[in-house]
């Protein structure tokens, strides 16, 4: 008899599981909210093609929500659409659109609130205030999404992917544009950002605040107010990224402020107003980067200490290095400088005369921008040559004792 009851009990479990395995369909007869109410934990909901005029859809159990091609959820300039309040949720392949601007609430197309192990995959978000907003969440993945905002000015713009307080977040293979910041990290640790395209954002392509032990690599930051800002953070690794065409009166490829103990390696800084601006940046390894055709390749302030700036290529920049101090506590060595005018008699690949990358006229134009109209004039070139021989205004200690004769990247190829 006991064996009979046990068999019946296990059969009931299997039968129940087989019923729950059948996906729930959301279509014109059954809204997304109703489908979620019908579902039990770990169900899959398939959203059929069509336009669903819904918002404030709360998900409070682990579900997989998949949109078929042509499945669109439209908030009609209203409140946020999905609010995820359960662990283990997956949202993928949906088009979400028209999140209204609010001055009292950070409305997002998808909000994660105090959850873990959630995946947001391959969605298209159009005309969003905030796009994807992770709040106090851990171990989540945001991958393959396209987030296009409609920002007109910073005061009415949110961020495409915004993460506030989290650990071990993975942000990969997304395309973000026309927001205030493309990707924003605040109090986010041990996380990874890779293979994203962030362009045409009003402030920064990527922005770190008070975040530690993060990595970002193989991303492209193009045509933003500035490419990336890393502020009040430590142990940030920055590798193999493209910082391109970030132009403007206060634009930078990479802005560093009050950071320490990180690395900046194998990146490409091209056609930025300033390639790297560093203020209060300490103990960084700045190695094997290419600075190409920037206004100023590097502007490193006197309160930046103990940085190792080695084996970089400075090619075709208007000014190579600018600083505001006559002292230098950073180490420059083995860099290639296209403005180097020395020679290599023993053919060892190292210039026989040290190179001073700070140009007198860079200091002058930093204080008097209108003076730039005299750039490349005979008088200015003569003054600069005299200053390099008998330095009075440029930091005498800021010097590369072993300038390379040909670019380091050329050697690598």
């Amino acid at each position: 008899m006991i064996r009979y009851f046990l068999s019946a009990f296990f059969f009931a479990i299997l039968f129940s599981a087989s019923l729950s395995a059948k996906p729930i369909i959301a279509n014109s007869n059954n809204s997304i909210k109703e489908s979620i109410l019908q579902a039990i934990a770990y169900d899959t909901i398939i959203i059929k093609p069509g336009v669903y005029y819904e918002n404030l859809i709360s998900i409070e159990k682990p579900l997989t929500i998949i949109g078929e091609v042509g499945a669109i959820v439209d908030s009609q300039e209203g409140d946020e659409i999905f609010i995820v309040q359960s662990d283990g949720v997956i949202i993928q392949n949906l088009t979400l659109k028209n999140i209204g601007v609010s001055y009292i609430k950070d409305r997002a197309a998808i909000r994660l609130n105090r959850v873990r192990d959630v995946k947001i995959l391959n969605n298209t978000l159009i005309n969003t205030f905030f796009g994807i907003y992770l709040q106090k969440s851990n171990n989540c993945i945001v991958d393959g999404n396209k987030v296009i905002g409609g920002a007109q000015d910073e005061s009415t713009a949110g961020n495409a992917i915004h993460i506030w307080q989290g650990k071990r977040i993975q942000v990969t293979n997304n395309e973000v544009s026309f927001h205030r910041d493309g990707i924003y990290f605040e109090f986010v640790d041990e996380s990874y950002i890779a293979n994203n395209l962030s362009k045409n954002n009003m402030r920064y392509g990527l922005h770190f605040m008070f975040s530690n032990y993060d990595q970002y690599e193989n991303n492209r930051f193009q045509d933003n107010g500035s490419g990336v800002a890393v502020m009040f953070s430590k142990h940030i690794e920055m590798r193999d990224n493209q910082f391109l065409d970030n132009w403007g009166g206060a634009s930078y490829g990479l802005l560093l402020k009050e950071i320490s103990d990180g690395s900046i390696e194998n990146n490409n800084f091209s056609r930025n107003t300033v390639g790297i601006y560093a203020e209060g940046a300490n103990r960084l390894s700045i190695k094997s980067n290419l600075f190409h055709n920037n206004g100023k390749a590097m502007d490193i302030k006197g309160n930046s200490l103990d940085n190792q700036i080695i084996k970089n290529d400075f090619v075709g920049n208007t000014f190579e290095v600018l600083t505001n101090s006559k002292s230098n506590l950073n180490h420059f060595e083995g860099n290639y400088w296209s403005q180097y005018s020395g020679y290599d008699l023993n053919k060892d690949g190292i210039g026989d005369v040290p190179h001073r990358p700070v140009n007198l006229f860079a200091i002058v134009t930093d204080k008097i921008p209108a003076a730039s109209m005299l750039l490349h004039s005979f008088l200015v070139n003569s003054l600069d040559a005299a200053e390099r021989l008998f330095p009075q205004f440029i930091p005498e200690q800021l010097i590369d004792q072993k300038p390379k004769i040909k670019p380091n990247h050329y050697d690598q190829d």
Side-chain angles (χ1 to χ4, degrees), residues 106 130 133-138 159 161-169 171 180-181 183-191 193 203 206-212 214 229-233 236:
D106 293 344
F130 284 77
Y133 197 124
L134 279 67
Q135 175 180 336
K136 292 189 175 182
S137 297
N138 301 322
N159 303 322
I161 298 173
H162 182 110
I163 304 172
W164 177 63
Q165 286 197 20
K167 282 189 176 181
R168 296 176 294 280
I169 306 296
V171 180
R180 182 175 57 203
D181 292 344
I183 303 168
Y184 180 81
F185 271 32
E186 185 173 0
F187 299 108
V188 182
D189 297 339
E190 303 171 30
S191 294
I193 302 168
R203 192 169 62 179
L206 170 63
H207 190 182
F208 289 88
M209 291 289 287
F210 309 109
S211 297
N212 306 311
D214 299 315
V230 184
M231 302 181 179
F232 305 101
S233 301
I236 305 295

Side-chain angles (χ1 to χ4, degrees), residues 16-44:
S16 174
S18 66
L19 284 179
S20 64
K22 186 177 180 180
I24 294 173
I25 306 299
N27 53 34
S28 58
N29 300 317
N30 187 21
S31 70
I32 299 171
K33 279 183 183 174
E34 290 169 343
S35 302
I36 290 174
L37 287 174
Q38 292 171 15
I40 61 173
Y42 303 105
D43 270 354
T44 296

Side-chain angles (χ1 to χ4, degrees), residues 36-219:
I36 290 174
L37 287 174
Q38 292 171 15
I40 61 173
Y42 303 105
D43 270 354
T44 296
I45 296 175
I46 304 294
I47 302 181
K48 290 291 185 181
V51 181
Y52 299 78
Y53 297 106
E54 299 185 55
N55 58 27
L56 295 176
I57 302 169
S58 179
I59 303 173
E60 300 173 7
K61 50 195 147 190
L63 295 173
T64 297
I65 299 174
I66 302 174
E68 292 189 348
V69 176
I72 300 170
V73 187
D74 189 341
S75 180
Q76 299 180 290
E77 302 294 336
D79 216 320
E80 44 202 14
I81 295 177
F82 286 108
I83 305 163
V84 178
Q85 301 183 88
S86 167
D87 300 342
V89 171
I90 300 173
I91 298 175
Q92 67 183 89
N93 298 347
L94 278 165
T95 296
L96 310 176
K97 58 194 298 186
N98 297 331
I99 306 300
V101 172
S102 170
Y103 293 99
I104 58 175
K105 181 180 179 183
D106 293 344
R107 291 173 171 169
I110 302 173
R111 175 182 296 276
L112 277 56
N113 186 6
R114 300 168 191 266
V115 297
R116 59 187 303 128
D117 302 318
V118 171
K119 298 178 182 179
I120 309 298
L121 310 174
N122 302 319
N123 300 284
T124 300
L125 282 61
I126 302 172
N127 190 28
T128 51
F129 181 37
F130 284 77
I132 300 167
Y133 197 124
L134 279 67
Q135 175 180 336
K136 292 189 175 182
S137 297
N138 301 322
N139 295 82
C140 295
I141 297 175
V142 180
D143 181 87
N145 302 282
K146 188 171 185 178
V147 189
I148 306 169
Q152 300 295 321
D153 56 73
E154 282 193 25
S155 64
T156 58
N159 303 322
I161 298 173
H162 182 110
I163 304 172
W164 177 63
Q165 286 197 20
K167 282 189 176 181
R168 296 176 294 280
I169 306 296
Q170 182 175 314
V171 180
T172 49
N173 303 302
N174 301 282
E175 182 176 332
V176 295
S177 58
F178 299 106
H179 285 80
R180 182 175 57 203
D181 292 344
I183 303 168
Y184 180 81
F185 271 32
E186 185 173 0
F187 299 108
V188 182
D189 297 339
E190 303 171 30
S191 294
Y192 182 65
I193 302 168
N195 302 314
N196 299 284
L197 169 59
S198 182
K199 62 179 184 179
N200 298 118
N201 295 289
M202 305 195 74
R203 192 169 62 179
Y204 303 119
L206 170 63
H207 190 182
F208 289 88
M209 291 289 287
F210 309 109
S211 297
N212 306 311
Y213 299 97
D214 299 315
Q215 302 174 36
Y216 68 92
E217 61 184 6
N218 291 311
N219 302 281

Side-chain angles (χ1 to χ4, degrees), residues 284-295:
L284 302 176
S285 170
I286 303 175
K287 181 180 178 183
S288 301
N289 300 286
L290 171 62
F291 297 86
H292 180 243
N293 285 358
N294 301 281

Side-chain angles (χ1 to χ4, degrees), residues 202-259:
M202 305 195 74
R203 192 169 62 179
Y204 303 119
L206 170 63
H207 190 182
F208 289 88
M209 291 289 287
F210 309 109
S211 297
N212 306 311
Y213 299 97
D214 299 315
Q215 302 174 36
Y216 68 92
E217 61 184 6
N218 291 311
N219 302 281
R220 179 151 61 102
F221 308 102
Q222 187 162 12
D223 289 309
N224 300 288
S226 287
V228 176
V230 184
M231 302 181 179
F232 305 101
S233 301
K234 60 184 180 181
H235 293 287
I236 305 295
E237 295 183 17
M238 318 170 215
R239 292 190 297 264
D240 301 306
N241 299 286
Q242 304 281 325
F243 301 80
L244 310 175
D245 303 300
N246 299 290
W247 280 107
S251 292
Y252 314 96
L254 173 59
L255 167 62
L256 306 172
K257 187 175 178 60
E258 302 301 332
I259 82 163

